[in-house]
Amino acid sequence: MAAPPLTGRRLRRTLLREGSVAGQVFVLQVAVVLLLVVAAVAALVLQVRRDGTQAARDRSLAVAETLANAPGTVDALRSSDPTARLQGPAEAARKRSGVDFITVMNKDGVRYTHPITNRIGKKFVGTTGPALQGRVHTETIEGTIGRLVQVVVPVTGRDGEIVGLISAGIKIDKVSGVVDRQLPILLGAAAVALALATAGTALVSRRLRRQTHGLGPLEMTRMYEHHDAVLHAVHEGVLIVSGEGRLLLANDEASRLLDLPPDAQGRHVTELGLETSMGRLFVPGRVATDEVLPAGDRLLAVNNRSTDRHGGPPGWVATLRDTTELRLLTSRVEVGRKRLELLYEASGGIGTTLDVVRTAEELSQVSVPRFADFVTVDLAEAVLRGDEPGGGSPAMRRTAVHGIRDDQPLYPLGELITFAAPSPQARGFESGQAVMEPRLRESRGWREQDSERTASVLEYGIHSLIAAPLRARGVLLGVVNFWRSEKPEPFEDDDLSLAAELAARAAVSIDNARRYTREHGMAVALQRSLLPRALPEQSAVEVASRYLPAKAGVGGDWFDVIPLPGARVALAVGDVVGHGLHAAATMGRLRTAVHNFSALDLPPDELLGHLDELAARIDHDAIEAGDETAITGATCLYAVYDPVSRTCVTARAGHPTPAVARPDGTVEFPDVPAGLPLGIGGLPFESAELQLPEGSRLVLFTDGLVERRDKDIDTGLRLLRDAVAQAGQSPEESCDAVLEALLPDRQGDDIALLVARTRVLGRGQVAEWDVESDPSAVSGVRNAVSSQLAEWGLEEQGFVTELILSELITNAIRYGTGPIKVRLLHDRALICEVSDHSSTSPHLRHAATTDEGGRGLFLVAQFAERWGTRYTKDGKVIWTEQSLPGSRDATTPEADALFT
């Protein structure tokens, strides 16, 4: 019989078939042709590129040197208008020579000529250094018109002086066209070679196919070697019956399914003892597709096909499958698949958050409705608080309820349940194993829990229960209950193991969430204990604050308000990298350090410098001790506001700049120099001085307020500006408005917010005098101070104040340098300040009995509530504070009216 014609698809399949000799020869021929073509093209391209670059260089150099040596070029360059004299000749030369541009320029690289006139007078793009030294410079560049070669040559005068430069350039593509001419010839030769190889291989393949029916010798040998092994290994019966009805072949599975005798092969089908319907399938023979026929106690799915449909010998081939075993196996596999799928989804769906209640809800949701119709989760109350529950059978709080309907009569959400000893839940607590009640009507222990409620549950239709204790690390956390009502079949032993596996996986997630809740609570408690419990009372600013710990873990955000001498106040806000107890503890260390440094009354930039050195020293000690955690990266902003001068001096270490809302409603982010975060060291910090009108709001915040993973920080700052602009004037209203506008649904970082509304000390509360550097001037100042105190109604403070000022002014006259100034501030206390231009600070000492002096400063310390020294840019200020009659925080009626 002639072989059928080869179509395109069959030809490719035949040529490339594994083991085909013709196919191997064809692949080898194709590989050789392709390698030769690739090598030829590569060599051609390299040759053309080298020749094209050289030709472009030669032409550009010839044109540039010709114009450089042309008569009149030097005179034109030295003329008053080189462009007018050179633009025309340069363009004419460019068009005649075929280059892309000719540019004449001065020694600074400024163009006198160019094909595009708007580029005349602009800087030449290229290298001019070698040409200025008298050498010709050639370079290949990617220009706006493509890849080109440009040459820069010097133009020299008669005296050898370089008076200008000329550059000419041309695209490489203009002088290289060999590839375009030779590549088609090369590809045509390759195509002819491939066509000849394909034709030859096709002829060889057709010849081989006719002789071996498409099989090579090795394939035919393997086929015969493995024929019997494959035939008898398949889990499906195979029968081959001749056209006369004799059994030609039966594999082992067919012999088993049909219970054939050992000598069945070669006998007639009617002699094999088959069922009548099975025998009629082969004699006289008919086509069957998945036809179910009896064979003893089995039901077989039979397929029967004729063997002579494509010119083969007459006969029939039948395949047999035992549907009884297959259905049972399929059912088991399906059940196992669904359980594995449920466990897989439980692994990814339970414990997605570190929230105890949410984890319990996920356990109940993942099990309904594929495993149970209703699921309830009960947890010990200690677990909900984050604590570890004690032993025994504690009271459980119903934490999660989920089912196919919402009208179930089970214990409601939030109910406190104490399980009776006979109940399945209590038995599970005692044994540590899941307990199954397949038929709740027959379970006395379960019905004793709550007879009235259990009767309602049975009447509702709930009929089966599995109670699996939630245990982790040997500690009982709670119990999960799986209930069935709609599914008629009760729970079985396989369901018990699945419920125990679900409970075990969920228990680990619940325990992780519980421990996180405990650690989070401890960190929050530590964080709040380290933050200000109550903001101190002072007259400089009206303050409101907010601190919101992150739900994912407490960080190291903090803020502080620190009263300073002279009625001033310091505002601080900072952020420590990381989360957890270490971040909270580090925050406490930094806040304490800021308090200590502020007691020295340092300027903000100097205070941050000391804080930076402290952070670096702490990190160094931690590294020496093998601790991987460090402060490096913490940020801080420190501002000092003076209500007398209405100035605010601010410095920051890697922290966002504050927002300033002025009384007219404008909001801005002042330009405060941004220093490096703490612990990095390097550049010193710088401060900025702001002039704030009375009633301005200073908004200090941490980056958790404005930064989001899905938003740019500029968006957060814009929202903050809008919120502050639209908020009320009070700090409390500003805090509420800012949080309402910027607080995210899922807070991933701590937020610290501090809003301070500025106040001022009026002229009636401040008195100043200039003092001459003469001891006789002290009495005049004492008289002026007495008059001022009488005007303030503080006559009782007159004697002590005069004594203090006399000592301080005398010391300034004796040891300081002028000018000397005295200032009284009537605030919550009476503040006396004496300033001079000396940096020498007085020291308190005890005078001996024979000393004639040295007791003045000791008396100042005895009579004043507090005293100290503050250094300024011009010198120092010695200050004292005296408590006023009545309350320490009492203010004058004038001050009360000012602050309301």
Side-chain angles (χ1 to χ4, degrees):
M1 181 181 295
L6 291 176
T7 63
R9 181 178 301 176
R10 293 179 61 191
L11 175 61
R12 289 192 300 272
R13 185 167 63 249
T14 301
L15 294 179
L16 301 178
R17 182 181 300 156
E18 180 181 1
S20 172
V21 176
Q24 294 176 359
V25 171
F26 175 71
V27 172
L28 180 60
Q29 290 175 338
V30 171
V32 171
V33 171
L34 289 179
L35 287 176
L36 292 175
V37 171
V38 170
V41 171
L44 179 61
V45 170
L46 292 176
Q47 179 66 29
V48 169
R49 178 175 294 180
R50 183 172 65 253
D51 294 343
T53 302
Q54 183 63 35
R57 179 187 180 280
D58 294 341
R59 184 181 298 185
S60 299
L61 179 60
V63 173
E65 287 185 340
T66 299
L67 186 59
N69 297 320
T73 301
V74 174
D75 296 336
L77 284 171
R78 289 175 173 174
S79 66
S80 60
D81 190 359
T83 298
R85 298 184 58 180
L86 292 174
Q87 175 68 8
E91 280 302 289
R94 179 183 67 83
K95 295 176 181 179
R96 288 195 299 271
S97 62
V99 296
D100 290 301
F101 71 90
I102 298 176
T103 297
V104 182
M105 67 197 91
N106 61 14
K107 291 191 292 184
D108 295 330
V110 177
R111 299 187 184 107
Y112 289 144
T113 70
H114 196 275
I116 302 174
T117 56
N118 60 5
R119 296 186 182 178
I120 296 174
K122 297 183 179 179
K123 193 75 172 183
F124 171 72
V125 180
T127 304
T128 59
L132 292 175
Q133 297 175 1
R135 301 195 305 270
V136 175
H137 178 71
T138 304
E139 58 185 0
T140 302
I141 64 171
E142 287 291 340
T144 57
I145 62 174
R147 187 174 180 83
L148 53 85
V149 174
Q150 65 180 16
V151 176
V152 182
V153 300
V155 180
T156 58
R158 296 182 182 86
D159 55 357
E161 179 187 1
I162 296 175
V163 297
L165 305 174
I166 296 179
S167 174
I170 186 172
K171 291 174 57 177
I172 298 177
D173 294 341
K174 282 189 174 182
V175 295
S176 59
V178 178
V179 173
D180 296 337
R181 296 190 299 272
Q182 296 184 5
L183 187 59
I185 299 174
L186 183 62
L187 294 179
V192 171
L194 287 176
L196 293 175
T198 303
T201 304
L203 293 176
V204 174
S205 176
R206 186 179 183 87
R207 179 80 174 179
L208 292 175
R209 183 174 178 275
R210 286 178 177 178
Q211 295 180 352
T212 64
H213 297 285
L215 297 176
L218 181 61
E219 292 174 329
M220 296 180 66
T221 302
R222 289 179 179 175
M223 181 184 70
Y224 284 108
E225 287 178 350
H226 297 289
H227 173 269
D228 289 342
V230 173
L231 183 66
H232 295 291
V234 295
H235 192 65
E236 187 168 301
V238 179
L239 294 174
I240 300 179
V241 181
S242 69
E244 294 82 15
R246 292 189 178 277
L247 181 63
L248 299 180
L249 185 144
N251 68 350
D252 293 343
E253 183 66 9
S255 299
R256 184 183 71 85
L257 294 176
L258 297 176
D259 196 17
L260 298 177
D263 59 346
Q265 191 165 324
R267 297 169 61 177
H268 200 273
V269 173
T270 57
E271 300 174 3
L272 300 178
L274 301 177
E275 297 283 346
T276 304
S277 57
M278 184 70 71
R280 290 176 180 173
L281 189 66
F282 302 107
V283 180
R286 60 183 176 83
V287 176
T289 301
D290 287 336
E291 186 172 336
V292 179
L293 300 175
D297 58 351
R298 294 183 177 92
L299 290 176
L300 304 180
V302 182
N303 290 276
N304 196 33
R305 295 289 186 275
S306 174
T307 60
D308 60 355
R309 288 185 297 174
H310 299 293
W316 300 87
V317 175
T319 59
L320 314 172
R321 295 195 313 274
D322 189 349
T323 60
T324 306
E325 297 180 1
L326 183 60
R327 289 177 181 176
L328 179 60
L329 179 61
T330 302
S331 176
R332 291 179 178 176
V333 170
E334 182 65 18
V335 171
R337 184 190 66 80
K338 289 183 178 180
R339 290 181 176 177
L340 288 176
E341 184 179 312
L342 177 60
L343 289 176
Y344 175 77
E345 292 189 9
S347 299
I350 299 176
T352 59
T353 66
L354 290 173
D355 183 84
V356 173
V357 175
R358 179 57 189 159
T359 304
E361 293 173 348
E362 291 171 345
L363 171 59
S364 64
Q365 292 169 359
V366 79
S367 306
V368 176
R370 288 179 294 177
F371 181 62
D373 297 320
F374 299 95
V375 176
T376 59
V377 181
D378 307 317
L379 299 178
E381 289 199 279
V383 174
L384 296 174
R385 296 192 302 268
D387 299 329
E388 186 166 308
S393 177
M396 301 286 176
R397 180 75 65 179
R398 179 135 296 178
T399 309
V401 178
H402 189 68
I404 57 176
R405 294 193 301 273
D406 296 332
D407 59 346
Q408 41 77 21
L410 300 170
Y411 284 115
L413 192 67
E415 183 84 6
L416 185 63
I417 308 170
T418 302
F419 293 103
S423 66
Q425 291 84 355
R427 285 186 281 131
F429 297 159
E430 183 177 354
S431 66
Q433 304 295 324
V435 176
M436 179 174 64
E437 293 290 349
R439 296 172 181 81
L440 289 177
R441 289 188 180 276
E442 302 173 5
S443 175
R444 294 184 178 180
W446 173 72
R447 301 185 72 167
E448 289 182 8
Q449 172 68 31
D450 186 341
S451 58
E452 182 178 350
R453 185 174 295 276
T454 54
S456 301
V457 171
L458 293 174
E459 183 180 355
Y460 185 78
I462 296 178
H463 58 82
S464 191
L465 163 68
I466 293 180
L470 297 168
R471 286 183 177 272
R473 300 178 297 105
V475 178
L476 176 65
L477 305 175
V479 62
V480 53
N481 305 290
F482 302 94
W483 311 83
R484 276 189 178 174
S485 62
E486 295 295 322
K487 294 180 175 63
E489 64 275 7
F491 285 115
E492 300 175 349
D493 291 339
D494 290 342
D495 298 322
L496 187 65
S497 61
L498 177 59
E501 181 67 22
L502 286 172
R505 298 190 181 196
V508 174
S509 298
I510 292 175
D511 187 55
N512 290 338
R514 176 194 65 79
R515 288 189 289 175
Y516 170 78
T517 301
R518 180 186 61 186
E519 294 177 2
H520 184 266
M522 294 172 58
V524 170
L526 175 62
Q527 177 85 324
R528 293 193 180 279
S529 68
L530 296 175
L531 289 172
R533 298 291 183 89
L535 298 178
E537 295 184 5
Q538 38 73 41
S539 303
V541 290
E542 178 187 357
V543 183
S545 63
R546 299 289 188 273
Y547 169 71
L548 301 176
K551 295 181 180 179
V554 176
D557 292 15
W558 59 279
F559 62 90
D560 212 339
V561 178
I562 307 171
L564 297 177
R568 297 169 303 130
V569 66
L571 306 174
V573 64
D575 187 0
V576 177
V577 294
H579 293 83
L581 294 176
H582 178 267
T586 303
M587 177 274 294
R589 299 172 75 176
L590 291 181
R591 178 171 175 258
T592 301
V594 169
H595 263 274
N596 293 334
F597 290 139
S598 65
L600 302 176
D601 212 345
L602 300 173
D605 52 345
E606 293 185 19
L607 184 141
L608 290 182
H610 288 292
L611 197 63
D612 178 63
E613 293 177 1
L614 175 64
R617 188 163 58 252
I618 293 175
D619 285 347
H620 180 269
D621 295 340
I623 294 173
E624 291 288 335
D627 190 359
E628 297 181 356
T629 56
I631 298 178
T632 302
T635 66
C636 182
L637 185 144
Y638 187 80
V640 176
Y641 173 68
D642 188 344
V644 178
S645 63
R646 306 180 186 181
T647 59
C648 179
V649 181
T650 306
R652 60 190 179 114
H655 201 84
T657 187
V660 176
R662 302 191 181 274
D664 59 1
T666 59
V667 180
E668 63 179 359
F669 293 95
D671 186 14
V672 179
L676 296 174
L678 299 176
I680 296 179
L683 299 176
F685 297 98
E686 299 181 28
S687 60
E689 182 174 314
L690 309 176
Q691 195 72 26
L692 300 180
E694 181 181 2
S696 299
R697 284 170 293 157
L698 194 62
V699 182
L700 286 69
F701 55 91
T702 56
D703 57 4
L705 182 66
V706 295
E707 287 189 358
R708 300 287 184 276
R709 291 183 178 179
D710 56 342
K711 294 181 180 179
D712 188 79
I713 189 173
D714 292 336
T715 303
L717 295 176
R718 178 178 54 79
L719 293 175
L720 175 63
R721 178 190 289 110
D722 296 342
V724 173
Q726 297 172 7
Q729 292 296 315
S730 73
E732 290 291 343
E733 292 175 339
S734 299
C735 286
D736 293 340
V738 168
L739 292 181
E740 181 179 357
L742 281 86
L743 187 63
D745 296 332
R746 181 66 182 175
Q747 184 182 337
D749 194 6
D750 283 15
I751 294 177
L753 176 63
L754 183 66
V755 179
R757 184 167 178 259
T758 60
R759 297 167 170 168
V760 299
L761 292 183
R763 296 181 179 179
Q765 295 176 270
V766 181
E768 294 182 310
W769 298 273
D770 293 328
V771 182
E772 297 180 1
S773 185
D774 186 351
S776 61
V778 177
S779 59
V781 174
R782 284 202 304 265
N783 295 333
V785 168
S786 298
S787 301
Q788 184 63 57
L789 292 178
E791 182 178 343
W792 287 342
L794 301 177
E795 293 88 347
E796 297 180 2
Q797 307 296 318
F799 174 75
V800 174
T801 303
E802 291 179 16
L803 179 63
I804 291 173
L805 287 177
S806 296
E807 176 59 27
L808 295 182
I809 296 174
T810 301
N811 282 341
I813 293 173
R814 181 177 300 175
Y815 304 109
T817 58
I820 301 172
K821 290 187 177 181
V822 174
R823 186 171 72 168
L824 290 184
L825 302 178
H826 184 197
D827 191 30
R828 297 176 182 270
L830 180 60
I831 302 171
C832 301
E833 296 179 347
V834 177
S835 62
D836 59 55
H837 282 201
S838 171
S839 59
T840 303
S841 175
H843 297 280
L844 180 66
R845 65 185 182 88
H846 293 277
T849 54
T850 58
D851 289 342
E852 296 182 0
R855 298 178 177 83
L857 198 58
F858 178 77
L859 293 176
V860 170
Q862 293 295 317
F863 285 113
E865 186 77 16
R866 295 192 307 154
W867 75 282
T869 304
R870 178 171 79 249
Y871 292 96
T872 64
K873 295 182 294 184
D874 301 326
K876 69 175 182 301
V877 176
I878 309 297
W879 58 268
T880 65
E881 287 188 6
Q882 305 172 59
S883 58
L884 299 177
S887 173
R888 291 171 58 105
D889 295 329
T891 58
T892 63
E894 180 182 358
D896 290 336
L898 180 64
F899 296 153
T900 54

